[in-house]
DNA sequence: ACCTGAACACCGTTCAAGT
DNA sequence: ACCTGAACACCGTTCAAGT
């Protein structure tokens, strides 16, 4: 890559990171290009879709979340590990408002730039769920896809301003529904 | 209202009903005006906001759902009544894709045209929940706002194409979390 | 090889001009 | 009293023209 191209790309990523964090994942791409001092075509050349831009920005975080699942799998108790990971995953998507809807699409769309990341994330969660189930800590009649749906539902709720004051309660209720022991977490 | 104004209004409502049902609650208002054979300004004159248009279209359905809660309250067992109503409410919002996000905003925004309808709906659900709790059929540590959040989360999930095949399972899991008896519904 | 921005086809919203 | 559609300020996306 030519040096000027790399400079533009880096600048775009830096600005996009700020703008997405501020305005959510549906922020204007035109605005990002403008703030990066770059032509709109340059943004599209480097990142052909919004998903591609987000994927580049968030890949490291997705991988960190998957790695975190591996970590929790060897350290904490099976049920606690699962709940902690559900919580951290929900909080992560909240830090990138609007991304959970894109992730729900991407996980079924092999052409999406976010597809691989989402599949990886779901697999990481599935491993934690399976371990908890093996130890009788999580309900048996639940699979990784359903767990991903529940996390997505929590993440979406978290994004709703009307819901904010009840975020923790709702998390506990749904996490409680996943575990065998019904006591709040 | 002048006869021609009423004709335009009726025409707009008829077309909007079709277009929203087809394309979801975020359909283009310009498109609706065009299809109704009416100037865009006429749409705005009759319905100053998208919410106002939706409210006029859906008020009857909202009221029917609230009435249905009253009906279920006197007929069915408390737990079944609650779950059936949760289901019917979820299905209703699904028939109007995109409306649940607007409802979540509207319930906190007294200025929204949808505010009253949402508050009424939440109150109807709260009554069913309270009865179920009084009979020991629903968990005690839950209030009407939280129930509304759970229904909203289910409604949002229902709208996600990626989730569709698991819609029924997820409903059972969350409805199960509301009830005291953990058995699936 | 890469960048730019005009061009195109859309939005939501407002409002001057018409009947 | 009501209607119309141009006008304005935005989108996402593409692509001819420039360096």
């Amino acid at each position: 890559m030519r040096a000027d191209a790399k400079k533009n790309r880096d600048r775009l990523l830096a600005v996009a990171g700020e703008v997405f964090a501020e305005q959510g994942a549906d922020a204007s791409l035109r605005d990002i290009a403008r703030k990066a001092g770059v032509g709109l075509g340059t943004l599209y050349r480097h990142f052909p879709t919004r998903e591609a831009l987000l994927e580049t920005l968030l890949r490291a975080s997705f991988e960190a979340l998957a790695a975190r699942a591996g970590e929790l799998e060897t350290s904490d108790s099976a049920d606690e590990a699962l709940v902690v990971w559900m919580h951290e995953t929900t909080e992560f998507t909240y830090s990138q408002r609007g991304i959970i809807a894109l992730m729900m699409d991407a996980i079924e769309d092999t052409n999406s730039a976010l597809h691989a990341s989402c599949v990886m994330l779901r697999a990481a969660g599935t491993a934690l769920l399976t371990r908890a189930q093996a130890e009788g800590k999580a309900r048996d009649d639940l699979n990784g896809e359903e767990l991903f749906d529940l996390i997505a539902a929590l993440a979406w709720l978290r994004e709703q301003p009307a819901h904010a004051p009840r975020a923790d309660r709702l998390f506990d209720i749904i996490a409680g529904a996943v575990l065998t022991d019904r006591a709040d977490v």
Side-chain angles (χ1 to χ4, degrees), chain A:
Chain A
M1 177 151 34
R2 243 163 55 175
D4 57 341
K6 168 143 178 55
K7 211 182 108 192
N8 280 334
R9 208 184 109 100
D10 291 348
R11 187 113 187 72
L12 276 166
L13 283 171
V15 171
E18 285 170 30
V19 174
F20 283 142
E22 250 175 59
Q23 307 181 18
D26 57 347
S28 159
L29 298 180
R30 210 184 219 95
D31 190 39
I32 290 172
R34 202 159 31 215
K35 280 181 175 143
V38 145
L40 190 46
T42 303
L43 186 153
Y44 275 91
R45 155 177 283 269
H46 287 293
F47 307 101
T49 64
R50 183 183 296 273
E51 283 77 18
L53 180 51
L54 282 164
E55 200 270 339
T56 306
L57 275 171
L58 300 178
R59 184 181 0 206
S61 302
F62 280 113
E63 280 164 3
L65 272 172
R68 179 75 173 128
E71 222 179 276
L72 288 163
E73 212 170 331
T74 58
S75 65
D76 291 53
S77 68
D79 49 348
E80 207 177 298
L82 176 59
V83 171
V84 166
W85 188 81
M86 285 175 70
H87 198 258
E88 290 181 7
T89 302
T90 309
E91 287 302 310
F92 164 69
T93 67
Y94 180 59
S95 75
Q96 306 289 332
R97 297 192 315 282
I99 208 188
I100 192 64
L102 293 173
M103 288 171 65
M104 280 295 265
D105 286 345
I107 202 157
E108 292 294 328
D109 176 7
T110 47
N111 293 322
S112 167
L114 285 168
H115 181 71
S117 291
C118 294
V119 169
M120 178 188 67
L121 214 57
R122 184 175 60 187
T126 304
L128 287 172
L129 175 65
T130 305
R131 183 171 73 121
Q133 286 170 330
E135 297 187 15
K137 301 278 189 58
R139 56 191 290 166
D140 267 318
D141 60 343
L142 198 73
N143 62 32
E145 295 176 355
E146 289 157 0
L147 178 68
F148 191 81
D149 275 355
L150 287 173
I151 292 172
L154 280 169
W156 177 80
L157 268 181
R158 190 82 170 74
E159 287 177 4
Q160 308 305 307
H163 157 81
R166 296 178 295 282
D168 289 341
R169 280 288 295 132
L170 269 288
F171 179 84
D172 289 350
I173 288 166
I174 291 185
V178 169
L179 302 181
T180 311
D181 178 4
R182 185 142 185 191
D184 281 356
V185 186

